[in-house]
Amino acid sequence: MSPSALSEPRTGRQADDGQDPGDWRRLSPRMLLVHPLREAVRLLPPLAVVVLLGRNPPQLWGLIGLVAAVGVGAARWLATSYRLTDDQVLLRRGLLRRELLTVPRDRVRSVDAVSGPYQRILGLRRLVVGTGRSGRHGDELVLDALDATVAERLRDELLRRAPAGPSAVPARRLPARNGVIAAFRPGWIRFGAVTLMGPAGAGVLLMSFTTFLNEEKLGPDRIPGLSALGRRLGDLPAGLSAAVIVTLALLAASALSAVRYAFSFRNFRLTRAADGTLRTRHGLTTVRSVTLEERRIGGVEISETLPLRLLGGARCTAVTTGPRAGRTGGPGGALLLPPAPLAEARRVAAAVSGVPSAVDCPLTAHGPRAARRLLRRARAGAAAVVILVWTATAWTDGPWWTELPHGSRAAVLLLPPAAELLARDRYRNLGHARHAGRLVIGRGSLVRRRQVLREDAVTGWIFHASFFQRRAGLTTLTAATAAGRQYYNLPDVPVEAAVALADAAGPEWLEPFLVPGSPAYRP
């Protein structure tokens, strides 16, 4: 943080609210109500429980919690201020430990506006300013919270008036078509039932419910429905009982996933604005609005988990700088489309990438050597697991193995054919192509991905090979880029094909390292 930032000259411009943008400004005073509201809502469930059980509610502790929440909120508000100049965005925060954060205007890559249910009630927005270093929490500047009108105006100001400084991803020519690119449809909820949002949420709810039962000393025998279900499962054979429990858990997780999908993406909309930005907005209770500079986008990615593939679905993310990994679209990506039909994901990817034909172009296979390597690894791993399980069931005594020795042996025999199918599917999806200035990478089986990267966004190439890859004449080619995951692997490529691909995409980089007589060598 540069101390000279405190002495920035005033710009002389006047904001819409009459204040000089160069002045230090505070957050909205209405944020003082957010923490008390949140604490009050958290107290409702325990209060309801103690009232139903006939106990005296903990009025003193609840009052102390509310007073503490008000005090913390007031301290944060008094100690936090921000400032906007022509060159920088500055944030001062902290009471005991004072901090000054500065973000150069030419490093602003994305600006997100988030409003939870309490903030929406109070007309507030939480503004997150992302810089060009993806995935780093400390490289974001957060204003929590601003008046909704001020936040929207500040977001537009940061993206519209950012100086044309050095870019982490080379700017590209922007498409002329503006308007809505994609919008939510009710039929998409079926894809939410097979996403991974539900199992984690179901696990958290189950743990919370179990903890509540233990604290209140409520055993299964005191809950009529649960006790009856437990008795029926106890009468079944152990294997069938386990299958029923797993099936019920999967159904509960799928239902929860569909509900969370509906709450998260019910009003999803992706639009292209006239100022050269892409904007996504979604959420019912917590509304998230993300704005991306389209000239900073280095590519797109279509990903399909195995359950989504079975339903014909996929999701689409942007390979871009700014969004923190995992927050909007996965590691190093910004969400362009939630789980939706595959055709819709391809249409969105084509609209954003600028080269529609690259999304569906045929890929160059990696040949029989790569296929043999994938099959050998899958067969060896499956055989090792089968041997381990059969040895354990034969030599280990105990309740688990004595109850299910034959069932576990029979189940593990399904692993080799499953591994064979996955390896063959992985090879079918593995490939690469160069098409109209785009590098296209296809890979994966459990999660099938197609990545379309701009060649001018690739900043370097990395070749690395294991001992077994070297024996097979294969290598893993990595495209390094400042955007997204910052590296994109293309595994098990024949060495000569990898050298030719990297040399064609960036000829001047490999020339000093090429050996005379190699396919890509040019005298």
Side-chain angles (χ1 to χ4, degrees), residues 309 363-366 370-371 374-375 420-432 442-445 448 450:
R309 287 175 61 186
L363 302 180
T364 301
H366 289 183
L374 289 173
L375 290 172
E420 182 85 9
L421 291 175
L422 286 176
R424 293 183 180 276
D425 181 65
R426 186 179 180 185
Y427 176 73
R428 281 195 299 269
N429 299 327
L430 182 63
H432 66 274
R443 55 175 302 188
S445 180
R448 183 170 64 182
R450 173 169 284 220

Side-chain angles (χ1 to χ4, degrees), residues 429-477:
N429 299 327
L430 182 63
H432 66 274
R434 289 186 65 243
H435 184 84
R438 299 296 188 269
L439 172 65
V440 186
I441 299 174
R443 55 175 302 188
S445 180
L446 294 178
V447 180
R448 183 170 64 182
R449 304 180 190 276
R450 173 169 284 220
Q451 295 148 347
V452 181
L453 307 176
R454 289 165 44 201
E455 289 185 352
D456 60 357
V458 177
T459 58
W461 299 97
I462 303 172
F463 296 80
H464 51 96
S466 66
F467 171 77
F468 297 102
Q469 282 181 312
R470 292 196 300 270
R471 287 178 57 89
L474 303 172
T475 186
T476 296
L477 179 63

Side-chain angles (χ1 to χ4, degrees), residues 310-334:
L310 296 177
L311 291 182
R315 61 185 299 168
C316 183
T317 55
V319 177
T320 183
T321 57
R324 177 158 50 89
R327 187 187 64 202
T328 54

